[in-house]
Amino acid sequence: MNDPVIKIRGARQHNLKNLDLDIPLQRFTVVTGVSGSGKSSLALDTLYAEGQRRYVETFSPYARQFMDRMDRPRVDKISGIPPAIAIDRKDPVRTSRSSVGTMTEITDYVKILFARLGVLHCASCGKPVVPETPQAIWEHLQTLPAGSRLVITFPLVTGLLDDDASPAAIRHSLRRLGFDRLYHDGAVVDIDAWAFASEAPPPDVVADRVVLGPERRKRIIDSLEMALRFGGGQLTVWPAHARRLDFSTRLSCARCGLDYTPPLPNLFSFNSPLGACDTCRGFGRVIDIDLDLIIPDRNRSLADGAVKPWGAREADNLRMEFDDLMAYCRRAGIPTEVPFGRLKKAQQRAIIDGTDDYYGIRGFFQWLETKTYKMHVRVFLSRYRSYDFCPDCRGARFKPETLLYRLGGQTIAGIYALNIDKALAFFEGLADRITNEADRLVLDEVRGRLRYLQDVGLGYLTLDRQSRTLSGGEVQRVSLASALGSSLVNTLYVLDEPSIGLHPRDNHRLIGILQGLRRLGNTVVVVEHDPDIIRASDYTLDLGPRAGEKGGQIQYFGPTTGINGSLTGQYLRGQRVIPMPPRRRRPNKKQQLTIQSAAQHNLKDIDVSIPLGLFVCLTGVSGSGKSTLAEEILYRSLKQALGDPQGRPGRHKALRGVDLVADVALVDQRPIGRTPRANALTYTKAMDPIRRLLAATDDARERGFGPGHFSFNVDGGRCATCKGEGFEKIEMQFLSDVYVACPQCNGRRFQPEILAVRYRDRNVDQILRMTVDQAL
């Protein structure tokens, strides 16, 4: 590239005010400003979009049809822009197959290491199965006492003779090859003394009888080679007064007679049919009924509704299954007024698993599985099912054949279960054992990517951690480590607030990673608010002064050390600070939630009391257990207690104070909507009163329009052409699909007669296009 800068002229994307600026190449630039000032519009929707669009256009028309294309940003001119990579906080792949190892491509290298260096262990005896060579067998024989008498034999039925050969033909063939002795029951016998009966087990053929000693090395190795050749790769050494020694040049256990197929890389991938567990298909979990959801309160009796799906005696929604349960309990003598938890174990198993004359809870849900073509049945099942570890692989995801291989004493599932810190120490320990240059290159790739994960503060994550369970900040940092591992140069990296979810203790690690990308010759543009990252940058672009229409202007752009008195500069210089409250509210000991013995994931059986009516903060370094306590235990337990289960709660003994809470809401970092029909008004339900206001106008009443007509989600009001989406898709041959404004409604989503109804001189489309400030 010839230009030392990326020249942007006339950027007008979203709220940007016709910006002209030159972003230096191979520098670390931070884009900052208040929320809504246009940071993402410039960095992601303008810079990244144009860089990615131009890169995609370098491919052939045929290749482009398989690639995502971004819309051309609203800008007059951009020159000097390199290929762009965006690392943002969007959700990772939402499949259970995606993990930290697959996102960083570590699993691709580990499976190659296992295919090349993994040691197979016999499924029967558990001993290593290693193809032997005559030299290796000789070295093994050196463990025997010098002067030991050895008999070297090979099996008769290994392709040497035909199965239907007569005894005379067998003797003739063996003599022609130079063998005239057999070994049977610990003794050497003449070939003429053996009857070669078809029902008798075939004997071993004697290749040589020799006394062990260094002076006979050549003779013994020659005899071993001959026995392996005529024995189809198998032989046995019979030392006097010692146990037999079996050897094989094939991948088979000579002791147990079990043959194994040579390993392929895909055997060590849970995303391949060769390696994935047949039961869970590589997911590690299976879906089944959750007895904790079906019988949520074991202190209830059967008559009082211990089995939740079937209701209780006094309930209005009593089901037929409840009557069947009561009838069975009368026949079997099971008390129905005693708490379910106090029933005998055999009685509980009979109710859950069923008997010969009663279907039980499992039988009921198995019958429901045959009716899943009905929507209401699928909804009903979803309330009482959850995921649990696969009963066959116990969450390892791999076939039993894969787990027979070990590298450094660890199976591949055991390595993936290690956290990053321990996995790095494990692979560092392998470095001294590997002499092959090709294997060392693969190992170096694994070690390098693990170091990058450690450098960004993710040493606590395990390699098999599902990517859909990561926070937005963790996703970005995993993507950062993957980008560093690829070692790209002359690339534009655009990051969206990578410090989200990162403890201040680890900020210096993230800064080092960003500066490392720059040292490789890349251009780094980061949207960020963290003062430490801003101070560590080369250049700062401060947008503002406010949000929305009042933003999109340059407040400062230049070296970070010379930042002026802009809003961000005032905070960096300490001229402005965030005020702290003069006094704190005191908790009421009678108004609190108490979690007893929280032990999910890494929580160490802790007791936590959370006061109600206060602003309570859970903090700690990344991976310390904050989300586990707040979401998996507190949120799910409250939801379950309030009758709206949202998955199985994390392990804990009890949650007290539930009666003090009316409802609980979880606000996380996931996007609020994925469809063009989702917006802030529909998500917050603020659109409902607006529809009622429009429906109450004289025009609406005259036309017979109700509140539902003012929604682009129903047929009565939305445009019939675009179905309320506001755009039309045009399919292009050899190109990505193009989206244009709907020709019928011109992107306004509603039917023309709906747009004719006005409230205070604005129709529904104009109201939706107002900002929050304008609407207020």
Side-chain angles (χ1 to χ4, degrees):
M1 298 186 57
N2 299 322
D3 294 339
V5 296
I6 302 173
K7 294 183 178 181
I8 302 175
R9 298 294 182 264
R12 300 181 303 278
Q13 188 73 12
H14 298 152
N15 65 335
L16 299 179
K17 302 298 192 296
N18 204 35
L19 301 185
D20 296 338
L21 64 157
D22 297 338
I23 298 178
L25 287 171
Q26 299 183 6
R27 293 292 184 270
F28 176 12
T29 302
V30 165
V31 183
T32 187
V34 297
S35 297
S37 60
K39 303 183 299 297
S40 296
S41 297
L42 176 64
L44 294 170
D45 299 334
T46 301
L47 265 179
Y48 168 66
E50 182 66 9
Q52 184 70 358
R53 187 186 66 82
R54 293 188 184 183
Y55 175 67
V56 170
E57 287 185 351
T58 62
F59 291 90
S60 66
Y62 177 78
R64 289 203 298 267
Q65 68 177 324
F66 303 106
M67 306 177 71
D68 292 332
R69 292 182 63 193
M70 303 190 69
D71 295 333
R72 184 188 297 270
R74 295 183 60 197
V75 61
D76 292 339
K77 178 183 178 182
I78 298 182
S79 62
I81 188 170
I85 294 176
I87 302 176
D88 54 22
R89 289 176 289 135
K90 291 181 180 178
D91 279 358
V93 180
R94 304 300 296 176
T95 173
S96 298
R97 293 188 183 277
S98 176
S99 65
V100 172
T102 59
M103 287 181 68
T104 55
E105 301 176 354
I106 290 175
T107 55
D108 294 335
Y109 293 101
V110 172
K111 70 181 183 183
I112 295 176
L113 281 179
F114 263 86
R116 294 176 62 91
L117 303 175
V119 177
L120 174 66
H121 287 68
C122 179
S124 177
C125 64
K127 294 183 178 179
V129 178
V130 180
E132 303 284 357
T133 64
Q135 179 62 35
I137 298 174
W138 163 258
E139 292 176 358
H140 184 83
L141 294 178
Q142 299 307 298
T143 60
L144 298 174
S148 298
R149 295 182 176 273
L150 307 178
V151 179
I152 302 173
T153 68
F154 61 88
L156 178 63
V157 290
T158 324
L160 182 65
L161 304 171
D162 295 332
D163 293 336
D164 57 350
S166 64
I170 295 175
R171 293 190 187 94
H172 175 72
S173 297
L174 289 175
R175 281 202 176 95
R176 182 170 55 84
L177 293 171
F179 303 112
D180 56 2
R181 292 183 179 83
L182 304 176
Y183 191 86
H184 180 68
D185 285 341
V188 176
V189 297
D190 190 85
I191 193 172
D192 294 327
W194 187 259
F196 291 103
S198 59
E199 64 275 4
D204 284 350
V205 180
V206 176
D208 195 4
R209 293 182 294 176
V210 65
V211 176
L212 181 63
E215 67 280 2
R216 297 180 180 86
R217 177 180 179 277
K218 185 178 185 305
R219 172 182 171 179
I220 292 176
I221 289 182
D222 289 343
S223 299
L224 293 174
E225 290 177 346
M226 180 176 60
L228 289 172
R229 179 160 64 91
F230 289 109
Q234 290 184 310
L235 65 81
T236 303
V237 177
W238 304 83
H241 310 295
R243 297 179 58 183
R244 61 183 286 178
L245 301 175
D246 296 288
F247 301 97
S248 173
T249 58
R250 301 180 301 175
L251 200 61
S252 64
C253 181
R255 292 172 292 274
C256 305
L258 298 177
D259 291 328
Y260 299 92
T261 57
L264 298 173
N266 279 348
L267 180 65
F268 304 98
S269 171
F270 51 76
N271 287 326
S272 168
L274 287 178
C277 170
D278 292 328
T279 302
C280 65
R281 301 185 182 276
F283 286 99
R285 300 187 304 166
V286 293
I287 191 169
D288 196 6
I289 61 172
D290 191 339
L291 292 177
D292 291 335
L293 298 176
I294 297 172
I295 310 176
D297 187 1
R298 292 180 174 251
N299 293 321
R300 281 192 175 190
S301 65
L302 296 173
D304 290 337
V307 183
K308 185 178 178 181
W310 296 346
R313 180 176 296 164
E314 294 81 7
D316 296 333
N317 59 341
L318 195 63
R319 297 178 58 93
M320 178 186 68
E321 291 80 14
F322 179 83
D323 294 334
D324 293 344
L325 173 64
M326 294 295 103
Y328 168 72
C329 289
R330 286 193 295 271
R331 295 195 307 270
I334 299 176
T336 60
E337 304 295 338
V338 175
F340 183 85
R342 296 185 182 178
L343 296 178
K344 296 179 180 178
K345 296 297 182 182
Q347 295 173 337
Q348 293 181 15
R349 285 197 301 271
I351 294 170
I352 294 173
D353 298 330
T355 61
D356 293 338
D357 61 340
Y358 177 61
Y359 49 82
I361 293 174
R362 292 193 181 276
F364 168 70
F365 279 94
Q366 289 171 0
W367 172 77
L368 279 182
E369 291 285 352
T370 65
K371 309 294 181 183
T372 52
Y373 58 87
K374 300 178 181 179
M375 173 63 75
H376 68 279
V377 172
R378 295 198 297 271
V379 173
F380 182 85
L381 282 172
S382 67
R383 297 174 183 171
Y384 301 105
R385 293 194 300 184
S386 64
Y387 287 94
D388 205 351
F389 284 121
C390 172
D392 289 344
C393 68
R394 300 306 303 167
R397 301 186 177 198
F398 292 99
K399 287 182 178 178
E401 295 87 342
T402 304
L403 300 179
L404 294 177
Y405 288 84
R406 298 176 192 172
L407 180 64
Q410 286 273 17
T411 65
I412 191 168
I415 292 175
Y416 289 164
L418 299 174
N419 62 35
I420 302 300
D421 292 335
K422 293 180 180 179
L424 179 58
F426 171 80
F427 284 107
E428 293 284 6
L430 291 179
D432 296 335
R433 310 181 194 177
I434 296 178
T435 57
N436 184 281
E437 187 62 29
D439 295 337
R440 182 173 291 277
L441 288 174
V442 177
L443 179 64
D444 288 343
E445 283 288 341
V446 175
R447 294 159 63 194
R449 291 167 190 265
L450 288 172
R451 288 195 194 98
Y452 292 137
L453 285 170
Q454 192 180 61
D455 289 342
V456 296
L458 297 178
Y460 59 90
L461 292 181
T462 58
L463 288 172
D464 61 0
R465 173 79 174 266
Q466 294 181 7
S467 60
R468 64 194 188 100
T469 66
L470 301 175
S471 67
E474 288 172 334
V475 170
Q476 281 201 90
R477 282 177 277 151
V478 171
S479 300
L480 260 179
S482 180
L484 276 172
S486 62
S487 300
L488 294 177
V489 296
N490 293 329
T491 303
L492 170 64
Y493 284 94
V494 182
L495 293 90
D496 185 14
E497 299 187 45
S499 65
I500 292 293
L502 187 64
H503 194 273
R505 180 198 70 166
D506 299 321
N507 269 358
H508 68 281
R509 293 181 174 179
L510 177 59
I511 293 170
I513 292 296
L514 298 176
Q515 293 174 341
L517 284 173
R518 179 196 59 190
R519 284 193 294 270
L520 289 175
N522 299 299
T523 304
V524 182
V525 176
V526 180
V527 176
E528 190 54 82
H529 296 292
D530 185 84
D532 292 334
I533 295 179
I534 296 175
R535 292 189 182 99
S537 66
D538 300 318
Y539 288 82
T540 297
L541 171 59
D542 189 12
L543 296 179
R546 296 290 183 267
E549 293 183 353
K550 299 179 181 179
Q553 302 177 40
I554 298 177
Q555 304 302 298
Y556 173 79
F557 182 40
T560 302
T561 54
I563 192 168
N564 60 12
S566 66
L567 187 61
T568 301
Q570 293 177 38
Y571 279 99
L572 286 176
R573 293 179 173 184
Q575 297 172 357
R576 288 196 181 193
V577 294
I578 299 175
M580 302 301 292
R583 61 186 183 88
R584 310 281 184 175
R585 298 176 64 183
R586 294 185 177 181
N588 184 350
K589 293 184 178 181
K590 296 181 179 180
Q591 300 285 323
Q592 61 183 13
L593 290 169
T594 302
I595 304 172
Q596 293 183 340
S597 301
Q600 182 72 3
H601 297 324
N602 63 335
L603 296 179
K604 303 298 191 295
D605 203 31
I606 61 174
D607 298 334
V608 180
S609 294
I610 302 174
L612 298 174
L614 301 179
F615 180 12
V616 181
C617 181
L618 300 179
T619 186
V621 298
S622 298
S624 58
K626 305 182 296 295
S627 298
T628 300
L629 179 65
E631 180 176 351
E632 298 193 31
I633 295 181
L634 181 59
Y635 172 72
R636 293 183 183 177
S637 297
L638 281 173
K639 275 295 187 182
Q640 186 179 75
L642 296 172
D644 182 20
Q646 298 292 323
R648 181 183 297 177
R651 287 192 297 129
H652 68 289
K653 185 177 181 181
L655 175 63
R656 305 190 183 279
V658 177
D659 55 319
L660 302 173
V661 178
D663 198 4
V664 57
L666 176 66
V667 181
D668 56 15
Q669 300 177 28
R670 296 177 186 175
I672 62 176
R674 285 293 190 183
T675 71
R677 295 175 180 169
N679 57 46
L681 285 178
T682 58
Y683 186 79
T684 59
K685 301 188 184 302
M687 193 61 194
D688 296 343
I690 294 176
R691 295 191 188 105
R692 290 194 293 269
L693 286 174
L694 289 163
T697 61
D698 294 338
D699 289 345
R701 285 198 295 265
E702 288 177 4
R703 292 174 169 84
F705 294 157
H709 288 83
F710 298 95
S711 170
F712 46 71
N713 289 322
V714 296
D715 290 335
R718 66 187 177 191
C719 172
T721 302
C722 65
K723 302 298 183 183
E725 294 187 352
F727 58 82
E728 184 180 35
K729 182 173 72 172
I730 301 176
E731 297 183 358
M732 305 290 289
Q733 187 176 13
F734 301 123
L735 294 173
S736 300
D737 297 336
V738 176
Y739 294 87
V740 298
C742 172
Q744 181 67 29
C745 66
N746 196 25
R748 292 181 292 183
R749 305 187 183 190
F750 293 93
Q751 295 182 14
E753 52 270 26
I754 299 298
L755 296 174
V757 178
R758 293 176 176 270
Y759 175 79
R760 293 189 177 182
D761 295 330
R762 293 181 186 270
N763 60 28
V764 61
D765 177 66
Q766 292 170 334
I767 292 174
L768 288 174
R769 295 178 186 274
M770 295 166 61
T771 65
V772 176
D773 292 338
Q774 291 172 339
L776 287 175

